[in-house]
């Protein structure tokens, strides 16, 4: 298989993209959409498909904002480097972190766009929520998500995960995102299902969009 191949977004993702396009801008001219969830819950893959359905919308990955020394203490950096300039319609510049070299790289431009996805653990933290047009939560239990993440990253990252898990527990205990999610996203055997979240107005088990194929086996 071509390593650059990405499956085309299914109807659930396309419907969600259509809803997002009709939202009001939330950060200057930008519709900022948070994609949050536990590490290993599939945020990156889902964000890629949603970005494609939005006509290749830019994706800001919080892994580029965080660092070994600040797994979750990156709020000020994000606000200063990204949120503040975008809120004034200016191009943002952020320095992505190199997790292997353990240092920040040269600044990368991030121009205002109709939709910008912010993907990563903590995308729905309280300091950011007022800037979001929509908050999505990847609906996967933390233990299952962490097991998937450990399996994906292999033995090389075991020490990192040993430190990450308690840090994530502390973060969500102090600053939970899921209670404020507008929509929940569940991965299925084929595609995704999008449901109303705790902050939504539709019952939590009522689908808001098409589900793509049968539900994933838990």
């Amino acid at each position: 298989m071509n390593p650059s191949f990405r499956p085309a977004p299914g109807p659930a993702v396309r419907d969600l993209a259509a809803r997002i396009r009709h939202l009001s801008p939330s950060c200057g001219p930008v519709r900022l959409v948070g994609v949050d969830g536990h590490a290993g819950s599939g945020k990156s893959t889902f964000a890629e498909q949603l970005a494609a359905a939005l006509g290749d919308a830019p994706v800001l990955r919080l892994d580029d904002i965080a660092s070994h020394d600040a797994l979750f203490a990156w709020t000020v950096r994000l606000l200063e480097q990204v949120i503040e300039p975008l809120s004034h319609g200016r191009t943002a510049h952020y320095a992505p972190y190199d997790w292997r070299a353990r240092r920040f790289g040269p600044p990368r431009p991030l121009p205002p766009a109709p939709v910008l996805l912010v993907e990563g653990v903590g995308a729905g933290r309280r300091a950011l929520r007022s800037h979001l047009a929509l908050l999505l939560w990847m609906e996967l239990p933390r233990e299952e998500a962490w097991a998937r993440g450990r399996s994906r990253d292999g033995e090389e990252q075991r020490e990192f995960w040993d430190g990450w898990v308690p840090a994530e527990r502390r973060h969500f205990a102090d600053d939970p995102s899921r209670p404020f999610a507008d929509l929940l996203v569940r991965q299925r055997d084929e595609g995704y299902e999008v449901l109303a979240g705790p902050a939504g107005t539709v019952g939590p088990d009522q689908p808001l969009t098409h589900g793509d194929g049968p539900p994933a086996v838990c």
Side-chain angles (χ1 to χ4, degrees), residues 35-37 62 72 74 120-126 128 171-172 177:
V35 181
D36 206 338
L62 293 178
F72 290 99
W74 41 257
V121 181
R125 60 173 44 186
R126 64 174 67 93
L128 302 182
H171 167 71
F172 280 133
S177 294

Side-chain angles (χ1 to χ4, degrees), residues 7 19 22 28 37 49 53 59 67 69 87 107 113 126 140 146 163 175 196:
R19 291 166 61 91
H22 287 91
Q49 290 208 21
V59 180
S67 68
D69 297 327
S87 67
R126 64 174 67 93
L140 187 70
W146 292 338
D175 192 354

Side-chain angles (χ1 to χ4, degrees), residues 78-131:
L78 180 63
L79 292 174
E80 292 180 348
Q81 295 184 359
V82 177
I83 301 301
E84 193 277 334
L86 291 181
S87 67
H88 291 91
R90 302 195 308 267
T91 295
H93 294 84
Y94 68 98
Y97 185 70
D98 186 325
W99 287 86
R100 293 190 179 275
R102 290 177 173 256
R103 63 174 180 265
F104 289 98
R108 181 180 298 174
L110 185 63
V115 180
L116 169 63
L117 305 182
V118 180
E119 174 270 314
V121 181
R125 60 173 44 186
R126 64 174 67 93
L128 302 182
R129 285 196 291 270
S130 64
H131 303 285

Side-chain angles (χ1 to χ4, degrees), residues 2-198:
N2 184 340
S4 64
F5 171 77
R6 293 291 184 274
V13 178
R14 295 197 302 269
D15 285 357
L16 176 57
R19 291 166 61 91
I20 290 172
R21 290 191 184 98
H22 287 91
L23 296 174
S24 298
S26 60
C27 183
V30 181
R31 295 161 183 81
L32 213 60
V33 176
V35 181
D36 206 338
H38 298 291
S41 61
K43 298 180 298 301
S44 297
T45 300
F46 174 74
E48 287 178 3
Q49 290 208 21
L50 182 56
L54 287 162
D56 292 326
V59 180
L60 175 65
R61 304 195 183 280
L62 293 178
D63 282 351
D64 287 340
I65 305 296
S67 68
H68 283 92
D69 297 327
L71 293 178
F72 290 99
W74 41 257
T75 302
V76 172
R77 183 159 55 246
L78 180 63
L79 292 174
E80 292 180 348
Q81 295 184 359
V82 177
I83 301 301
E84 193 277 334
L86 291 181
S87 67
H88 291 91
R90 302 195 308 267
T91 295
H93 294 84
Y94 68 98
Y97 185 70
D98 186 325
W99 287 86
R100 293 190 179 275
R102 290 177 173 256
R103 63 174 180 265
F104 289 98
R108 181 180 298 174
L110 185 63
V115 180
L116 169 63
L117 305 182
V118 180
E119 174 270 314
V121 181
R125 60 173 44 186
R126 64 174 67 93
L128 302 182
R129 285 196 291 270
S130 64
H131 303 285
L132 298 179
L134 194 72
L135 176 57
L136 309 174
W137 175 266
M138 301 302 294
E139 186 74 338
L140 187 70
R142 64 186 186 186
E143 298 295 342
E144 184 176 347
W146 292 338
R148 283 176 45 172
R150 287 180 182 273
S151 176
R152 174 197 65 202
D153 293 345
E155 184 67 19
E156 180 183 352
Q157 296 297 322
R158 184 180 66 175
E159 183 178 350
F160 172 81
W161 274 94
D162 288 346
W164 173 270
V165 168
E168 185 182 311
R169 286 182 188 272
R170 290 192 297 269
H171 167 71
F172 280 133
D174 176 66
D175 192 354
S177 294
R178 189 183 184 280
F180 303 94
D182 299 292
L183 299 171
L184 305 177
V185 180
R186 289 178 180 167
Q187 188 171 5
R188 303 168 69 92
D189 287 337
E190 298 177 9
Y192 297 90
E193 179 181 29
V194 181
L195 310 172

